[in-house]
Amino acid sequence: MLTIATGNKAVAAAVRQANPAVIAAYPITPQTEIVEQMAEYVTAGELKSRYIPVESEHSAMAACIGASITGVRTFTATSSHGLLYMHEMINWAAGARLPIVMANVNRALGPGWNVWAEHTDAFQERDTGWLQVFVSTVQEAYDATLMAFRIAEHNDVLLPVMVNLDGFTLSHIMQSLETVNPGDFIPPLHLPHAIDPAHPAGYGTLTGPDDYFKFRWDIERSMRDSVKVIRETEQDFADRFGRSYGMTEEYRCEDADVVVIAMGTLGKEAEVAIDLLRKEGIRAGSMRIRWLRPFPTLDLAGRDVVVIDRDYSFGFGGILAQSLKAKHRCEPYSVIAGLGGQEVTYDDIAGFIRDRKPGEEYWFGVKA
Amino acid sequence: MTEIPKEEYVLKCTSACAGCSSSLILRYVLKAAGPDTVLVIPACCTSVIQGIYPNTAMNVPIYNVAFAAAAACASGMSEAFQSAGKKTNVIVYAGDGGTVDIGIQALSGAFERKTDFLYICYDNEAYGNTGMQRSGSTPIGARTTTTPGGKTHSKKDLDGIVAAHDPPYMATACSAYPQDLFKKVQKALSIRGPKFLHILAPCPPGWRYSSEKTIEMGKLAVKSGMWILYEREYGKVTINGPSKAAMIKPVPVEDYISVQGRFKGISKEALESLKSQAERNAKRLSLEEKGIC
Ligand SMILES: Cc1ncc(C[n+]2csc(CCOP(=O)(O)OP(=O)(O)O)c2C)c(N)n1
Ligand code: SF4
Ligand SMILES: [Mg+2]
């Protein structure tokens, strides 16, 4: 069905169709619309989920963990300070191998209070064992949320998935949305290690170094296996519903001498910049990284690389630029832009590409 | 009548909604506290009311801090001022969500450690900052954006929880009784140790009444017995005048409920629960005042 919706409403529509047994909810701008919409569905009887209005995000994730280990589907949504407040439990969810799905509406971190888009919140959770996908349109927010449940719950993965969408520039803007009838696209959840009093076991028991080490390797093995599961899921989604995205969405990259790499809405905005540059005769392309974890492999050989980071690791650099440098041995022009909701237009992005200085870091809008 | 100072510490450039009683409360709190005061404010409406950087609408320093952290942050600040030999008032000004929900652990810790500070919870009975979701302090039957069918659980007994920490001074107040409020803040700040004020803050957009009725709403809360003004000083309870009068001749709870859009279509059971809770509170406090508990 074709409708129009905000990014938040699109996520809520997908979650409704995934029909989780338990939803834990705590408000925070700019995510609140998602948990409000879930409350509406539940109150109207359109969704049979148990809705737990917890007293904090730490409890939101803990409630999802308690529910998930019984073998049922769970969902929560958060943003920024909420995400960081649940940090301990985020690690716990992955370590306990629970296929929880969470929407995170990317927002800057205080102080000062700032409710606008930035990716540092999600990037600070990058080493926790969660899969993380970043979306760029309302449609993609919906599609990725449906796929997130299937990927998380696949028995070769069994890791939680975070669906990231930019605060306001995606969460609150309206675009067209084609909803689908998922049918059996998301199979019933089978959690092999679900709590079962008929088979008593200790969960999270005191664990010695050798076993602990093995469990960590297990997480990494599943993270590597998830690449195949993501591809299969995307392929099946494309076959059924006609839309696909890829680990990284490439735009006019085939013959590109220079590629710009960004995430979220800025990654989409970059496509407009590419069209502008192509008209000027500059052979530019765009790679929008969708999956931060598992981190993608890109073909960057022989090209100039411009990376836009809407995040930062103080004393180190733009996290995406530095990750690409480490993984691909490239010398990117590292642009730091859009922190705290700073406006970045396609003209600005075209400028970054034109004026690139490989190997240097540039803070957009900061006068030297 | 107590002389309320003319000095203003809440300037006329806040971004509060029309008829906001939480900013009105803060006005009287700061008049009572005076200029040697630091406010510690967790995420709440007051984070917005104070204005946008580089401006501030308050004439005392404000330390904004993360949602769950106010009482713990104030603990550090209070100890630091003491170590420097300063007598600066440390006042937490927090919403109900930042107090009864996410902030309750920090609050409990600070009170158990007998921190020298004043904790004020202004209670608009929902999460105002994020657009009126339910909190643990939302009354049963009230509609919020996360309880569109009316809340199904009762308001948390915050005062009971704080009383269990046996602070030297705690009291309730209401924006519609500024003299009473002013005196309670002064008294609280004259005592060493952890002090607590729980202040009802009617909120036009959240409770859904028109903004000019904000004082009337606070008066109705007290007159109907839905909000009881009292103090607990070193364990001894005193019920204050307006609530004494209300206990003798209360206005019907319906008079308070029916003028607020948030209670529209409230179920019989929820209404009964509100009424019986109000009666139980009055009875319990009266017995405590008489020394019977
Ligand atoms: C860890 C964390 N979770 C959520 C939020 C979002 N948030 C900011 S203020 C607020 C509600 C505040 O409600 P209350 O304490 O009652 O104060 P009021 O806004 O009503 O004045 C919420 C949920 C946040 N800032 N930090
Ligand atoms: S929502 Fe209520 S408490 Fe918040 S500023 Fe507006 S009137 Fe005041
Ligand atoms: Mg509140």
Side-chain angles (χ1 to χ4, degrees):
Chain A
M1 194 176 70
L2 189 64
T3 56
I4 62 164
T6 61
N8 279 340
K9 287 266 166 66
V11 169
V15 174
R16 177 185 167 194
Q17 291 178 308
N19 194 21
V22 175
I23 297 171
Y26 199 72
I28 182 163
T29 307
Q31 163 279 126
T32 308
E33 201 183 5
I34 300 176
V35 294
E36 288 178 338
Q37 187 61 49
M38 302 322 298
E40 289 279 352
Y41 288 145
V42 171
T43 306
E46 292 170 33
L47 186 62
K48 293 277 170 278
S49 311
R50 313 284 299 198
Y51 184 95
I52 314 180
V54 286
E55 74 290 348
S56 76
E57 290 86 358
H58 193 276
S59 297
M61 189 46 64
C64 283
I65 287 168
S68 182
I69 193 58
T70 72
V72 303
R73 186 167 293 156
T74 55
F75 173 78
T76 189
T78 193
S79 205
S80 170
H81 286 264
L83 184 73
L84 266 60
Y85 197 60
M86 58 170 72
H87 177 66
E88 181 186 22
M89 293 290 102
I90 285 179
N91 280 271
W92 201 279
R97 309 304 305 262
L98 299 173
I100 296 163
V101 172
M102 171 162 67
N104 178 51
V105 181
N106 302 105
R107 162 185 155 181
L109 301 164
W113 288 123
N114 175 302
V115 294
W116 294 284
E118 187 179 317
H119 293 159
T120 311
D121 60 352
F123 275 53
Q124 289 198 6
E125 303 303 328
R126 70 189 181 277
D127 303 333
T128 56
W130 280 62
L131 279 68
Q132 286 201 39
V133 62
F134 286 69
V135 303
S136 66
T137 63
V138 167
Q139 185 67 57
E140 191 185 0
Y142 171 84
D143 294 346
T145 305
L146 280 180
M147 286 191 254
F149 285 99
R150 170 154 152 181
I151 294 163
E153 293 170 7
H154 193 290
N155 275 206
D156 290 347
V157 178
L158 290 178
L159 286 170
V161 176
M162 193 186 301
V163 179
N164 288 285
L165 54 154
D166 284 336
F168 293 104
T169 53
L170 185 51
S171 66
H172 283 66
I173 59 136
M174 297 266 228
Q175 288 174 345
S176 61
L177 169 68
E178 174 91 51
T179 58
V180 300
N181 178 357
D184 59 0
F185 176 72
I186 311 172
L189 167 60
H190 168 69
L191 187 73
H193 56 295
I195 289 247
D196 178 5
H199 300 97
Y203 292 79
T205 320
L206 186 64
T207 306
D210 293 348
D211 284 322
Y212 183 89
F213 194 91
K214 200 162 80 19
F215 289 140
R216 294 287 119 173
W217 163 240
D218 264 352
I219 295 175
E220 174 55 15
R221 205 174 47 189
S222 299
M223 191 56 94
R224 292 179 192 185
D225 289 346
S226 73
V227 176
K228 172 181 63 70
V229 175
I230 292 169
R231 290 221 171 92
E232 277 168 17
T233 305
E234 284 233 343
Q235 189 56 54
D236 191 34
F237 193 90
D239 293 345
R240 289 176 191 237
F241 312 120
R243 286 186 296 271
S244 66
Y245 302 92
M247 295 293 289
T248 298
E249 192 176 56
E250 299 199 358
Y251 184 73
R252 303 183 81 168
C253 282
E254 307 76 33
D255 62 341
D257 304 321
V258 52
V259 292
V260 62
I261 300 177
M263 296 175 74
T265 50
L266 279 182
K268 206 72 194 164
E269 196 78 5
E271 295 179 4
V272 186
I274 297 307
D275 290 343
L276 281 180
L277 294 170
R278 288 267 171 180
K279 279 194 197 124
E280 294 170 17
I282 299 173
R283 283 196 303 192
S286 145
M287 293 181 180
R288 180 172 65 84
I289 292 188
R290 298 185 65 242
W291 289 89
L292 178 69
R293 291 291 182 277
F295 197 74
T297 307
L298 307 180
D299 176 17
L300 300 175
R303 296 164 154 175
D304 275 4
V305 178
V306 176
V307 181
I308 304 174
D309 268 286
R310 188 168 221 167
D311 62 80
Y312 203 72
S313 174
F314 297 107
F316 183 60
I319 299 170
L320 191 57
Q322 296 303 323
S323 305
L324 287 164
K325 200 170 160 179
K327 267 222 135 171
H328 295 294
R329 300 207 168 76
C330 58
E331 275 300 321
Y333 179 46
S334 166
V335 178
I336 313 303
L339 304 186
Q342 182 198 40
E343 187 169 314
V344 184
T345 66
Y346 51 78
D347 277 327
D348 297 326
I349 298 173
F352 303 155
I353 299 169
R354 271 189 223 106
D355 306 338
R356 66 188 177 276
K357 298 183 190 70
E360 288 190 17
E361 181 180 286
Y362 168 59
W363 282 66
F364 174 53
V366 174
K367 291 183 191 73
Chain B
M1 284 240 294
T2 320
E3 200 50 50
I4 295 183
K6 294 226 160 26
E7 284 78 21
E8 296 291 352
Y9 301 94
V10 176
L11 308 177
K12 287 179 184 162
C13 49
T14 72
S15 39
C17 309
C20 172
S21 56
S22 105
S23 46
L24 188 62
I25 292 166
L26 190 53
R27 182 170 173 228
Y28 288 103
V29 167
L30 290 178
K31 277 172 182 280
D36 191 14
T37 298
V38 179
L39 288 176
V40 177
I41 299 192
C44 58
C45 276
T46 312
S47 329
V48 180
I49 288 171
Q50 64 189 267
I52 296 179
Y53 177 87
N55 301 309
T56 172
M58 312 288 161
N59 214 359
V60 296
I62 298 187
Y63 197 74
N64 288 290
V65 75
F67 198 16
C73 177
S75 299
M77 198 175 279
S78 164
E79 296 293 341
F81 280 139
Q82 285 177 54
S83 77
K86 292 183 183 160
K87 296 221 160 10
T88 305
N89 300 311
V90 176
I91 302 182
V92 170
Y93 194 68
D96 48 300
T99 304
V100 309
D101 292 338
I102 200 166
I104 195 113
Q105 172 175 319
L107 171 73
S108 176
F111 274 67
E112 183 266 333
R113 294 187 301 269
K114 301 285 178 248
T115 305
D116 184 27
F117 78 139
L118 169 59
Y119 191 107
I120 297 178
C121 171
Y122 68 93
D123 191 352
N124 60 4
E125 303 191 317
Y127 291 178
N129 173 299
T130 39
M132 287 300 153
Q133 297 77 34
R134 59 94 82 187
S135 81
S137 202
T138 302
I140 193 168
R143 287 172 196 268
T144 67
T145 59
T146 46
T147 56
K151 194 184 174 209
T152 48
H153 306 108
S154 298
K155 186 178 172 85
K156 201 188 267 195
D157 180 8
L158 172 62
D159 300 337
I161 295 169
V162 175
H165 294 75
D166 199 19
Y169 182 76
M170 60 182 283
T172 59
C174 172
S175 54
Y177 298 84
Q179 289 271 351
D180 175 76
L181 163 61
F182 180 87
K183 279 188 277 186
K184 285 170 175 169
V185 175
Q186 278 196 325
K187 191 188 280 184
L189 291 174
S190 72
I191 297 170
R192 271 187 74 86
K195 288 85 60 180
F196 177 73
L197 286 179
H198 188 187
I199 308 178
L200 187 70
C203 163
W207 297 15
R208 300 187 216 166
Y209 63 83
S210 57
S211 53
E212 76 280 5
K213 295 212 161 73
T214 241
I215 299 300
E216 187 182 325
M217 215 51 64
K219 293 239 147 115
L220 276 172
V222 170
K223 287 180 178 166
S224 63
M226 288 292 289
W227 189 256
I228 302 175
L229 298 174
Y230 73 96
E231 294 166 281
R232 189 188 293 274
E233 234 179 308
Y234 299 103
K236 194 185 167 324
V237 169
T238 309
I239 297 169
N240 305 121
S243 286
K244 272 257 159 66
M247 282 176 189
I248 297 162
K249 201 166 174 266
V251 307
V253 167
E254 285 85 347
D255 287 10
Y256 173 64
I257 300 297
S258 62
V259 288
Q260 300 176 44
R262 63 175 173 160
F263 288 115
K264 199 164 168 229
I266 187 173
S267 70
K268 249 207 188 107
E269 298 74 41
L271 182 60
E272 277 317 307
S273 167
L274 283 175
K275 284 182 175 172
S276 64
Q277 186 65 54
E279 276 165 30
R280 277 203 305 280
N281 289 347
K283 205 180 239 168
R284 183 172 46 83
L285 283 167
S286 303
L287 287 173
E288 280 194 55
E289 190 179 39
K290 292 189 190 106
I292 315 163
C293 38

